[in-house]
Amino acid sequence: MTSPVVSINGELRGADGLHVSGLDRGVLLADGLFETMRGRNGRIFRIDRHLARLEAGLTAIGIPMPPALPEWTLTALAAAGHQDARVRLTITRGLGPPGLLPPNPVRPTVIIAVWPMADVAGPAPAPVSLHVASGRRNERAMSAGLKTLSYTDGVLALIEAQRHGADDALFLDTDGHCSETTSANLFAAAGDGLMTPPASCGALPGITRSVVFELAAALGIRCEERAFDLEDLLGASEAFVTNSTRGPVAVARVGDRAIGPGTSGELTRRLAEAYRLLVLRECP
Amino acid sequence: MTSPVVSINGELRGADGLHVSGLDRGVLLADGLFETMRGRNGRIFRIDRHLARLEAGLTAIGIPMPPALPEWTLTALAAAGHQDARVRLTITRGLGPPGLLPPNPVRPTVIIAVWPMADVAGPAPAPVSLHVASGRRNERAMSAGLKTLSYTDGVLALIEAQRHGADDALFLDTDGHCSETTSANLFAAAGDGLMTPPASCGALPGITRSVVFELAAALGIRCEERAFDLEDLLGASEAFVTNSTRGPVAVARVGDRAIGPGTSGELTRRLAEAYRLLVLRECP
């Protein structure tokens, strides 16, 4: 694997110096937020929306938004030099006293990592299979709706999914509604349109999810936020998942049940193609 | 504040070199576990129980237990030289590929931090006030029962508690039962004995909680794990919280309601005193 390019607080570092304090609250308490973004040809797809979501989240949890983020991000992307890049912005509350009490003032730590990624103009990603996670997503968590560093449950669900031979895990919320996967939003066909779980089911307000709303509107595909349960998903004629690194990707199976044709449905194909064209147009 | 002593993978470092990779899965994904322990006069109170819980948790999530942990911990404690010390062991899954997929093999990162702490033989900690957190603890999470690095919700609940003038936040589980505070287990008087939330209410199996079971048995105080709700707590004649850094500490208030006498009740006083004597006997 190619080594990633990393910048810490705006400073680019070599592979042996990519370091933060072992007492950073990001390490000790997952006290921070992140964004994963798609870079291409020196641009970041929908960077304004990612930064707006990040700033809203940081404000909500009391971490100041580092003003140089856009510049540091584009500098790291340029230094990496990949045509297509996975770009991760991580912002933590930095150092503090022992225990949970936050420091005052907060001096955030900024970690920007850039990895190479598959060409968005290349072959569409293969459909994925989902395992239904044994644990539930908490739609009433303190941090519901925030993209925090607390990803232990996602990692454990993915490990469980792999043990079941699946590509990813689907979380239900505590009421049994479909929520999202470990790292992607979920859409399912409903009538002649689409439905996706609302924030009240523990779904993160994904940037690619919002791009799908845009594209569906442009294509005349009805798309609504609506709570639905596992049975509704299993009976859907097609389903797909979305995140910033892959765009819309068909769901072939959930557990031992094929979804619709068991491959990419028509709405999924149209939206995945529209997404690809949009990225190529905005990141030429 | 005195600078903490920190050891990374068994190596003691100066204050400017206490560093881990900015791409460590502890920072990026909260992918790891921790223990907070009480050190005194070069010993760690109940270190075997802490290490047994840690090893069971690491096994559950697929991180190998670093064999030199006891030695590294006692070396860091000795280097710090405090009479009473707060000792935190943090174990992460180390480095991995981008995204959630775990590396294979896993090379864990071990961070040991030692801070000075109040003399256990000194004045008893003042009773605390609790705010009921607006978000819920998820008793059906993938990581329920594990002491993971995913502490964002605890940090946010503590910030919310402080805004309400309280010392700590009490979490209810998704069914409305009392669970625990951001960093302590909860006990409340029930009849002439005590009750504490079971693991099925999202309570962590605290080491000090288990010591209270021991001490209560020795003192002839009935103590049972039982689900109870906020009304039961508000009506209790006394309540206390426990963790490894402070032992049993009385709960004076929950929201705007005094608990019992609004100060330390008799069971709390007896158990706090018995705890202090036990620490002094085992860590002379």
Side-chain angles (χ1 to χ4, degrees):
Chain A
M1 203 187 69
T2 318
S3 285
V5 163
V6 179
S7 131
I8 309 277
N9 294 332
E11 197 183 328
L12 289 169
R13 310 238 177 141
D16 56 352
L18 321 177
H19 289 159
V20 297
S21 168
L23 297 180
D24 191 281
R25 290 171 64 97
V27 193
L28 299 185
L29 298 167
D31 190 9
L33 302 179
F34 75 103
E35 293 288 327
T36 300
M37 307 181 291
R38 169 187 288 282
R40 186 175 164 91
N41 293 328
R43 290 186 166 84
I44 307 265
F45 182 61
R46 298 294 166 107
I47 188 172
D48 289 351
R49 256 192 235 181
H50 282 285
L51 293 177
R53 176 173 68 175
L54 180 63
E55 183 162 17
L58 291 174
T59 300
I61 71 172
I63 297 179
M65 176 82 170
L69 270 190
E71 178 197 328
W72 291 352
T73 305
L74 293 171
T75 300
L77 179 63
H82 312 303
Q83 179 188 261
D84 290 80
R86 175 195 191 104
V87 181
R88 179 171 157 141
L89 272 183
T90 304
I91 319 287
T92 83
R93 208 184 298 268
L95 294 170
L100 274 62
L101 275 176
N104 184 10
V106 176
R107 291 190 187 83
T109 300
V110 177
I111 304 165
I112 302 170
V114 184
W115 294 268
M117 200 165 70
D119 185 350
V120 71
V128 294
S129 59
L130 302 181
H131 160 75
V132 181
S134 61
R136 295 294 176 94
R137 179 73 93 209
N138 184 5
E139 74 279 12
R140 288 185 291 168
M142 291 298 301
S143 58
L146 295 172
K147 204 165 168 67
T148 79
L149 302 178
S150 286
Y151 254 62
T152 322
D153 277 27
V155 171
L156 298 184
L158 184 60
I159 291 173
E160 185 181 86
Q162 290 198 308
R163 275 206 308 267
H164 285 80
D167 299 308
D168 197 358
L170 171 67
F171 282 110
L172 307 181
D173 71 12
T174 68
D175 277 336
H177 297 123
C178 292
S179 180
E180 58 182 9
T181 80
T182 64
S183 52
N185 287 119
L186 174 70
F187 289 79
D192 58 356
L194 291 167
M195 58 186 176
T196 190
S200 59
C201 295
L204 271 172
I207 304 301
T208 308
R209 177 177 179 269
S210 73
V211 169
V212 166
F213 292 165
E214 250 178 64
L215 295 171
L219 294 169
I221 300 167
R222 195 177 41 75
C223 182
E224 60 179 14
E225 293 186 271
R226 187 211 297 177
F228 58 92
D229 62 25
L230 185 57
E231 281 308 305
D232 296 320
L233 173 62
L234 296 176
S237 59
E238 62 181 291
F240 60 89
V241 291
T242 61
N243 68 23
S244 296
T245 60
R246 315 215 304 158
V249 178
V251 175
R253 308 187 72 80
V254 176
D256 55 5
R257 293 270 293 271
I259 302 301
T263 172
S264 198
E266 196 206 326
L267 295 177
T268 306
R269 275 198 305 273
R270 287 172 65 199
L271 286 163
E273 182 58 19
Y275 170 83
R276 246 190 310 277
L277 294 174
L278 184 66
V279 171
L280 292 170
R281 194 168 71 226
E282 297 193 3
C283 304
Chain B
M1 203 187 71
T2 318
S3 285
V5 163
V6 179
S7 132
I8 309 277
N9 294 331
E11 196 183 327
L12 289 169
R13 310 241 175 137
D16 55 353
L18 321 176
H19 288 160
V20 298
S21 168
L23 298 179
D24 192 280
R25 290 170 65 95
V27 193
L28 299 185
L29 298 166
D31 191 9
L33 302 179
F34 75 103
E35 292 288 328
T36 299
M37 308 181 292
R38 170 187 288 281
R40 185 176 165 90
N41 294 328
R43 291 183 165 86
I44 306 265
F45 182 61
R46 299 294 166 105
I47 188 171
D48 290 350
R49 253 190 238 183
H50 282 285
L51 293 177
R53 175 173 70 174
L54 181 64
E55 183 162 17
L58 290 174
T59 301
I61 71 173
I63 297 178
M65 176 81 169
L69 269 191
E71 179 198 327
W72 292 352
T73 304
L74 293 172
T75 300
L77 179 62
H82 311 303
Q83 177 188 261
D84 291 79
R86 175 195 191 105
V87 182
R88 179 171 158 142
L89 272 182
T90 304
I91 320 288
T92 83
R93 207 183 300 267
L95 293 170
L100 273 61
L101 274 176
N104 184 7
V106 175
R107 292 189 187 86
T109 300
V110 177
I111 304 166
I112 302 171
V114 185
W115 294 268
M117 200 163 70
D119 185 352
V120 71
V128 295
S129 57
L130 302 181
H131 159 76
V132 181
S134 61
R136 295 293 177 93
R137 179 73 92 208
N138 184 6
E139 73 280 10
R140 290 185 290 169
M142 292 297 301
S143 58
L146 296 171
K147 203 165 169 67
T148 78
L149 302 178
S150 286
Y151 254 62
T152 322
D153 277 28
V155 171
L156 299 185
L158 184 58
I159 291 173
E160 185 180 85
Q162 290 199 307
R163 275 207 307 268
H164 285 80
D167 299 309
D168 198 357
L170 170 68
F171 282 111
L172 306 182
D173 72 10
T174 69
D175 278 336
H177 296 124
C178 292
S179 180
E180 58 182 9
T181 80
T182 65
S183 52
N185 287 120
L186 174 70
F187 289 79
D192 59 355
L194 291 167
M195 59 187 176
T196 189
S200 59
C201 295
L204 273 171
I207 304 302
T208 308
R209 176 177 179 270
S210 72
V211 169
V212 165
F213 292 164
E214 252 178 63
L215 295 172
L219 294 170
I221 300 168
R222 192 177 43 75
C223 182
E224 61 178 14
E225 292 187 272
R226 187 212 297 178
F228 58 91
D229 64 23
L230 185 57
E231 282 307 308
D232 297 320
L233 173 62
L234 295 176
S237 59
E238 62 180 292
F240 59 89
V241 292
T242 61
N243 69 23
S244 295
T245 60
R246 314 215 304 158
V249 177
V251 175
R253 309 186 71 81
V254 176
D256 55 6
R257 294 269 293 269
I259 303 300
T263 172
S264 198
E266 195 205 324
L267 296 177
T268 306
R269 275 197 306 271
R270 287 171 64 198
L271 286 162
E273 183 56 19
Y275 170 83
R276 246 190 309 275
L277 293 174
L278 184 66
V279 172
L280 291 170
R281 193 167 73 227
E282 296 193 5
C283 304

